[in-house]
Amino acid sequence: MDDEVRRAARAVDGARLWRRLMAMAEIGATPAGGVNRQALSIEDRAARRRLVEWAWERGYDAAQDGAANLFVHRPGSEPQLPPVLVGSHLDSQPTGGRFDGAFGVLAAFEVLEALDDAGVATRRAVEAVAWTNEEGSRFSPGAMGSAVFARRMTLGEILPVTDWDGVPLADALRDTLADLPEVPMRDRGLVPAAFLETHIEQGPRLEAEGIPVGVVTGIQGISNIHVEVIGAEAHAGTTPRRLRRDALKTAAAMVLALEDAFADGDDTVRFTVGRFDVTPSSPNTVPGHVRFTIDFRHPDPATIERLTGRIEPICQGLAGACEVRVHRKRDVPPTRFDEGTVDLLRESAKGLGIAHMDMFSGAGHDAMHLSAICPTAMVFTPCKDGISHNEAESAKPEDLAAGTRVLAAAACALAQR
Ligand code: GLV
Ligand code: MN
Ligand code: MN
C-alpha cells in the first residue's frame, strides 16, 4: 500500500465521524431513538443544509443537480479529470435508524477531511455525495436521485410521482432546491471515474462473524409493484354480502395468495407488502378502494421476471366483483460490482490489517445505479443484531471507523489514478 494511501486511511477520525453522525441524527429525531427524515421533507432539507454548512466550514464547495443530488467537492490537482464520487443518502424510512444512509454520506465527508488532514493532494477531485430519495418510502420507487444521475430514469419520469398525500415530487423537489439558493446548480452530464459507497450491513452476518468490514460484490435484483383494487363504498349496516364489492376483503385475499405463490423452499425470495392503504378507512363503510405495494427481490433476473409475471394473473383471479390494476413501478436488475474495484477494497482492508469478508447485498443501494456508468463497489460494516429499517438500528463507532478507513484508502488510490 503506498504511503499516501496509508496516511489518508490513518487520518480518518472515528470520533469526528461519530459526532457528525449524532448531530445529523438530531434532524428528524424520533422519541424512540430513530429518525424520520423522509425524502424532500423539511427534515431532509435541514439535513442537506447541515451537510452544506459543514462543507463550507471546511472550505469545500457544494453543488446540486436538478434531481437535488448534493455534491461536496474537494478539488484535485488535475481539474479536467473526472472525479471519484463517494456517498450514500440522507433521507430515511418513516421509522428509520440513525445510520441507514447517513453513515455513507458522513463517511464520504470524513474521507475528504482525512485527505486534507493527511496533507494528500490527489490528481482527481473527490466528492462526497448525498443522493436524493434512496428510501422510496415517501416517493416510490427509491434510489431515484442516483437512477436519474446514472440515466436509468429521466427527470421527466420522476417529476409526476406523488407521495401518499398526493404531493407531486416536482413540488417537493422545487422547494428542496430553493431551500439552498446559495448552492449552485450543475448539470447531470458528469460521468465519474468511480463510485464508492459504505453502508451498515442491515443484516446479521458481519456481527455474527466478528468481522468489521464486508466487501460487497453485488446487489440482488428488486421489483416494485403497486396493486390497486377498486370496489364500491357501501353502508356497513344495510348492504348484504352478496351486493358488496369489498376492496379490502379482496385485497387481503390477494396478499395471502401472493405470499404463498412467492414462498420458496430455500427462503431466497424476499416478498413484502409494506403499505396497504384503505379508502375511505371508516369503520362503518365497506371499503371501496385499496392500494398496496409489493417489494420483491431475488439474485436471479429470470426468477424476478417469472415471479413478477404471476402477480397480475393471481390478482385478476381473485378480483371477483372488484376491478384490479397492477402497476409495475420499477425493476432494478441484479448488480455485479466491478471486479477491479471490489479487489481494490479487499486489498485496502488487507493493507490496513482490517479483517474483511466478501458479501452480497440483500438491500438496495445507490451503488446499484452508479455501477451502470462507472466502476463501483461498496463497503459494509456491522450493525447490532442485523437490525435496520427500525428505530433501534445501532452500530459501533469503531466498526464505522474501520469501514471508513477502507473507504478512504480506496478513494485515495482511485483519485491518484
Ligand atoms: C433500501 O432501503 C432498500 O429498499 O433496500
Ligand atoms: Mn440505505
Ligand atoms: Mn434503507
Side-chain angles (χ1 to χ4, degrees), residues 39-40 44 48 51 65 67-71 85-92 101 104-105 127-135 143-150 186 188 190 192 194-197 365-370 373-374:
L40 307 175
D44 190 19
R48 292 160 49 83
L51 181 66
D65 68 17
N69 297 312
L70 183 61
F71 305 84
L85 264 49
V86 189
S88 192
H89 60 98
L90 290 171
D91 66 311
S92 82
V105 174
E127 296 194 335
V129 195
W131 303 109
T132 298
N133 184 30
E134 192 275 347
E135 292 291 4
M144 262 181 194
S146 52
V148 169
F149 185 85
R186 76 178 194 199
R188 287 173 294 110
L190 173 80
F195 176 65
L196 298 175
E197 177 168 4
H365 298 287
D366 294 301
M368 68 196 175
H369 292 315
L370 270 292
I373 56 166
C374 65

Side-chain angles (χ1 to χ4, degrees), residues 204-223:
R205 286 185 60 206
L206 288 172
E207 186 184 54
E209 305 275 347
I211 291 180
V213 162
V215 173
V216 187
T217 56
I219 300 181
Q220 67 178 339
I222 307 177
S223 184

Side-chain angles (χ1 to χ4, degrees), residues 229-310:
V229 181
I230 301 137
E233 293 172 16
H235 195 290
T238 60
T239 318
R241 276 184 186 222
R242 66 191 152 74
L243 295 181
R244 293 186 182 201
R245 294 168 59 214
D246 186 333
L248 169 54
K249 203 174 127 200
T250 307
M254 290 174 186
V255 172
L256 296 179
L258 290 166
E259 276 278 358
D260 279 350
F262 279 61
D264 57 334
D266 61 357
D267 201 8
T268 305
V269 175
R270 299 280 179 266
F271 174 86
T272 306
V273 173
R275 178 133 197 161
F276 195 95
D277 286 340
V278 181
T279 309
S281 210
S282 162
N284 48 358
T285 297
V286 174
H289 188 274
V290 166
R291 185 162 53 156
F292 67 89
T293 58
I294 298 171
D295 176 305
F296 115 79
R297 312 186 188 205
H298 197 277
D300 169 39
T303 306
I304 296 214
E305 203 46 46
R306 180 175 57 78
L307 287 174
T308 302
R310 295 194 59 190

Side-chain angles (χ1 to χ4, degrees), residues 21 39 112 119 133 158 167 222 241 252 288 376 417:
L21 265 164
L112 269 50
N133 184 30
I158 68 166
V167 176
I222 307 177
R241 276 184 186 222
T376 294
R417 285 184 186 167

